[in-house]
Amino acid sequence: MTGWAERLLCADHVAVIGASNTEGKLGYLFMQNLVSAYPGNIYPINPKQDRILGLQTYPSIKDTPCQVDLAILTTPPGAAPQIIAECVAAGVATAVIISGGFAETGEKGSALERSLAEIAGKGRLRLLGPNCFGVINTHLGLNASLGLGLPEKGGVSLITQSGAYGMAAFTRSKLGEIGFAKVIAPGNKIDINEIELLSFLRNDPDTRVIAMLIESISNGRALFDEINRTTQTKPVVILKTGRTSSGQRAAASHTAALAGDYAVTAAALHQAGAHLVTDGQTLLDTAAALDKQPVHKGKRVAIITNSGGTGVELTDLLTDHGLEVPALSGRLQDQIRAFLPEQGSAVNPVDVTTQWHRFTEMYGSTIRLLMESDEVDIILPVLLQRSALMPEVSERVIQEYQSAKAGDKVKPVHVCWVAGPEADNNKKRLQDSGIPVHPWPLRTAKTIAACIGSGNRKIETSPKKRSRPEPVAGNGWLPMDVALTLLQEEGIKTAPWRYANRVAELGSVSADLAYPLVIKAIRPDLLHKSDAGGVKLGISSLEELMSAADKMESLFGGGPYLLQQQITAGVELLLGATRDTNFGPIITFGIGGTLVEVFRDAALRLAPVSREMAHDMLEEIKGQQLLDGYRGNVPVNRDGLARFIAGFSRWVDESAWIGQVDMNPVIANGDDFTVVDVRILAE
């Protein structure tokens, strides 16, 4: 055993510093947890007692007979520096600091944390915490946590910054809803972080699914890369708290406004292949389902119900969460209808009605046919009251599931459960057989939707780097003529344009362009020109041009003007980029125009974006029907647009100097993509 992670989670020798015989103290709880199940060597550290829970005590960590793999500190925070120094001197490999009173309390606590990190770093002692729940390895019997007793064994490993969710894991496990391999709480992340833990669990044979509750992210790109590697072989389910933080960056462009803090984080986690959820209940529900069920390969759900109303409710909820409840083919309906009562429905939802004496056959035969059909991807029996109370119905569901599994024709099966505690034995039989059971339709729909996930698309950044252009204005924004020229040099088409430094030049430069024209006032502090009256469209003569310029001069004073040939046909799109401090360059695509921030219809991805990823972005936006020839417009070539997005993203990835790009609108017309307005911020 050489690695720090093995010595933390698979320790042979564990010491409890601050061990106690007094019930109610942390030192007693941790000793009790270890004595009850842990098969390794336990060393209670307490200079004032001879024996604790029947075990010999030691005055100090340096007095133990063997080198300690894991030291658990249950002592007050002020004692931690000296204890950590003693652990370093004794050659301890890892330490878990349970106590609070560190960075979460203010600057004094932060200084204490920094001193611990410095002491441990010099001695190569790895620290978990402080202010944490601890660690658990159910397959070893190691419980070095605040939870009393071990959770049930299973394939889910939980990384949680919240100790409360560590406790919730215990509760859900004892109810038979989820089984755990490991539970790890990094707390304040003084040293060991979620990225390192994820890397270990990726190769851990006992871990089949990884669930993560993340409060803060210190290295977003490294986390993205590790999730991306992990999801090649194991599902990763993530709850990122702090979604509604008001501390988002001030936006100087539409793109930056759309790429808020959580929006970027969610896009990155989604792109890395994670199953993203928004609440703790769904986090554990989804992890448990993915641990028990085969891979969810599609979104088509077949519902079997003994309540028509519940079937309709589920259909609505599943659709709301991005799933499909397709009508079954006539042939399949005929096969199902053969064993339904006359008043039943075989369309989907399949309604077996209230003829309870036939429930077993109707549920079982329908599941068998759906398993063999290529029309659906997920099977969802609703067991409500009478059907839930009948053990023979649950047994038949289990039988059909296991039979399909044995024949390698199995599809994911989820049960929507609506019944009282008197039916709990039947529910437990389903759960023990590997079938997830979800109370009520809403929880069922949320969990199934989260199980679908986002797929995994690996990205590789380009080693090529491009130099920063000159000149750059004092505020970092490129002058408009420089920005447009830069796009043209990259092969990005722009509307034909000319630049005039003052009104007197407009007549001569306009001669090179064809009417109708657009005039734009270019001023350093004029961010959204249309909103301020700095744009005039549809100019059909020199007289109209000069009149518009005079009006802008009165509003904004003297300064440059941009003249462009007006693009009259096509769909207005937005394509832009921001450089996030955590994740790096982020590409934003959506329906453009002046109301882009009102509708907030955009898809985000980390750069570079492949053509396949770009197609995903097109499918993600709500207004995608505008791309397909809405109301007689020319349909946009989606493959051409995907190539355009991918090429733009490569340029951004290779140009580390780019802070923001805002191309809005880009006019898309068939195979043609023309940038009408652009702002570029150099960093």
Side-chain angles (χ1 to χ4, degrees):
M1 187 185 299
T2 56
W4 66 264
E6 288 82 5
R7 300 187 76 175
L8 172 71
L9 293 160
C10 306
D12 291 325
H13 306 279
V14 177
V16 180
I17 302 176
S20 175
N21 268 320
T22 304
E23 291 190 37
K25 288 193 172 184
L26 280 181
Y28 179 85
L29 170 64
F30 278 83
M31 284 298 299
Q32 186 182 34
N33 279 339
L34 290 170
V35 168
S36 64
Y38 175 59
N41 298 299
I42 306 168
Y43 306 113
I45 308 298
N46 188 322
K48 298 180 181 179
Q49 296 183 356
D50 295 328
R51 301 187 74 80
I52 295 176
L53 295 183
L55 296 177
Q56 178 186 343
T57 62
Y58 300 87
S60 170
I61 191 74
K62 67 178 183 293
D63 299 315
T64 58
C66 295
Q67 192 176 59
V68 170
D69 298 307
L70 169 61
I72 306 164
L73 277 67
T74 64
T75 51
Q82 179 181 342
I83 294 171
I84 292 300
E86 291 174 356
C87 286
V88 168
V92 175
T94 64
V96 177
I97 305 173
I98 302 297
S99 304
F102 293 90
E104 76 278 6
T105 64
E107 179 51 38
K108 185 177 179 181
S110 295
L112 186 57
E113 262 192 29
R114 289 192 293 270
S115 70
L116 294 180
E118 183 178 355
I119 295 167
K122 289 179 179 178
R124 297 184 179 179
L125 168 64
R126 299 306 306 271
L127 299 179
L128 188 76
N131 185 34
C132 76
F133 173 76
V135 297
I136 297 170
N137 181 349
T138 62
H139 293 268
L140 178 62
L142 172 66
N143 184 0
S145 82
L146 293 167
L148 183 59
L150 282 168
E152 298 300 314
K153 289 182 183 178
V156 176
S157 283
L158 173 66
I159 301 172
T160 172
Q161 277 189 262
S162 167
Y165 273 91
M167 300 300 291
F170 273 78
T171 303
R172 295 289 301 277
S173 175
K174 294 303 181 184
L175 293 173
E177 296 175 355
I178 188 169
F180 289 96
K182 295 172 177 67
V183 179
I184 315 164
N188 290 7
K189 298 191 291 188
I190 186 176
D191 176 21
I192 298 170
N193 60 42
E194 68 277 2
I195 301 169
E196 294 176 293
L197 294 169
L198 186 60
S199 178
F200 170 76
L201 294 174
R202 172 163 51 90
N203 299 303
D204 175 34
D206 294 327
T207 300
R208 295 186 293 268
V209 179
I210 300 166
M212 304 179 71
L213 186 147
I214 303 173
E215 295 176 1
S216 61
I217 297 174
S218 54
N219 189 337
R221 193 60 186 233
L223 177 62
F224 171 89
D225 290 339
E226 190 55 53
I227 294 171
N228 197 247
R229 283 188 289 268
T230 303
T231 53
Q232 307 286 337
T233 56
K234 296 179 181 181
V236 177
V237 190
I238 298 180
L239 167 61
K240 171 64 177 72
T241 58
R243 291 184 299 116
T244 58
S245 170
S246 59
Q248 296 181 356
R249 70 180 69 83
S253 71
H254 292 297
T255 301
L258 292 170
D261 294 340
Y262 179 74
V264 169
T265 300
L269 299 178
H270 178 88
Q271 185 177 349
H275 299 255
L276 201 59
V277 300
T278 56
D279 65 275
Q281 184 180 76
T282 308
L283 173 73
L284 297 179
D285 284 347
T286 305
L290 291 171
D291 185 28
K292 296 173 181 176
Q293 291 289 291
V295 175
H296 295 61
K297 296 180 179 179
K299 298 182 177 182
R300 301 170 300 172
V301 183
I303 302 169
I304 312 164
T305 180
N306 62 315
S307 163
T310 304
V312 173
E313 180 187 4
L314 262 172
T315 300
D316 289 342
L317 290 168
L318 290 166
T319 303
D320 288 345
H321 285 82
L323 300 167
E324 302 169 18
V325 184
L328 303 178
S329 68
R331 179 175 175 274
L332 185 53
Q333 287 188 48
D334 289 342
Q335 291 176 300
I336 294 172
R337 196 177 291 112
F339 44 79
L340 294 183
E342 185 177 348
Q343 67 272 30
S345 172
V347 176
N348 192 19
V350 175
D351 186 356
V352 302
T353 74
T354 58
Q355 291 197 16
W356 59 268
H357 58 285
R358 298 176 58 190
F359 279 172
T360 303
E361 174 60 22
M362 290 189 291
Y363 274 96
S365 297
T366 304
I367 290 172
R368 186 185 310 140
L369 286 170
L370 292 170
M371 282 287 185
E372 295 171 352
S373 169
D374 61 359
E375 297 182 25
V376 297
D377 307 301
I378 300 164
I379 301 172
L380 175 54
V382 178
L383 299 185
L384 182 146
Q385 290 307 111
R386 189 64 180 259
S387 58
L389 288 165
M390 297 170 65
E392 59 270 31
V393 174
S394 295
E395 290 299 327
R396 183 61 184 273
V397 172
I398 293 167
Q399 176 189 333
E400 295 297 340
Y401 173 69
Q402 293 179 338
S403 176
K405 193 173 182 179
D408 202 27
K409 293 182 178 180
V410 71
K411 294 174 181 174
V413 175
H414 295 251
V415 169
C416 176
W417 187 262
V418 185
E422 63 273 17
D424 280 355
N425 286 339
N426 297 335
K427 178 170 71 173
K428 188 173 188 307
R429 278 284 296 128
L430 289 162
Q431 292 170 331
D432 291 346
S433 300
I435 299 175
V437 180
H438 313 295
W440 295 93
L442 177 58
R443 189 162 160 186
T444 304
K446 290 172 68 176
T447 303
I448 295 176
C451 283
I452 302 298
S454 58
N456 180 292
R457 297 193 184 279
K458 190 174 182 180
I459 70 169
E460 295 182 1
T461 58
S462 170
K464 181 179 179 181
K465 300 301 174 189
R466 299 174 185 245
S467 59
R468 170 174 163 159
E470 298 292 345
V472 175
N475 61 4
W477 292 98
L478 301 186
M480 179 66 79
D481 56 335
V482 174
L484 287 168
T485 300
L486 188 61
L487 293 186
Q488 291 172 327
E489 290 173 351
E490 292 301 322
I492 297 174
K493 183 180 179 182
T494 66
W497 60 276
R498 292 292 183 270
Y499 210 68
N501 287 305
R502 50 189 179 273
V503 172
E505 299 175 3
L506 288 173
S508 60
V509 300
S510 66
D512 297 329
L513 301 173
Y515 290 101
L517 297 180
V518 178
I519 183 172
K520 299 176 181 179
I522 306 301
R523 305 292 187 274
D525 57 348
L526 191 57
L527 300 181
H528 302 306
K529 296 179 286 294
S530 296
D531 298 340
V535 177
K536 174 67 174 175
L537 289 77
I539 295 174
S540 58
S541 66
L542 180 60
E543 183 181 4
E544 285 185 38
L545 174 63
M546 300 308 293
S547 174
D550 288 341
K551 185 174 181 180
M552 290 179 186
E553 195 93 348
S554 66
L555 288 172
F556 310 115
Y561 293 91
L562 180 74
L563 288 185
Q564 294 174 296
Q565 286 183 198
Q566 184 165 329
I567 309 298
T568 57
V571 180
E572 291 190 345
L573 304 176
L574 173 141
L575 182 58
T578 58
R579 191 163 299 275
D580 185 78
T581 55
N582 232 334
F583 290 98
I586 305 293
I587 304 302
T588 302
F589 167 78
I591 302 301
T594 57
L595 298 179
V596 61
E597 288 177 41
V598 175
F599 296 111
R600 304 192 69 82
D601 184 16
L604 280 67
R605 294 292 188 279
L606 273 66
V609 175
S610 67
R611 193 170 69 180
E612 292 76 18
M613 290 181 197
H615 273 288
D616 291 343
M617 297 175 80
L618 305 187
E619 294 290 334
E620 192 172 311
I621 61 172
K622 301 182 185 70
Q624 62 171 291
Q625 63 179 352
L626 294 174
L627 304 177
D628 299 326
Y630 183 72
R631 291 196 171 181
N633 289 327
V634 176
V636 174
N637 183 326
R638 285 187 176 232
D639 197 54
L641 180 55
R643 288 196 301 270
F644 179 61
I645 294 170
F648 168 76
S649 78
R650 285 192 298 273
W651 171 54
V652 172
D653 177 54
E654 294 168 359
S655 304
W657 59 270
I658 292 179
Q660 287 183 33
V661 181
D662 191 34
M663 299 193 304
N664 179 38
V666 177
I667 306 296
N669 187 18
D671 300 323
D672 188 66
F673 308 99
T674 305
V675 177
V676 170
D677 201 89
V678 60
R679 286 175 57 80
I680 301 177
L681 176 66
E683 291 187 340

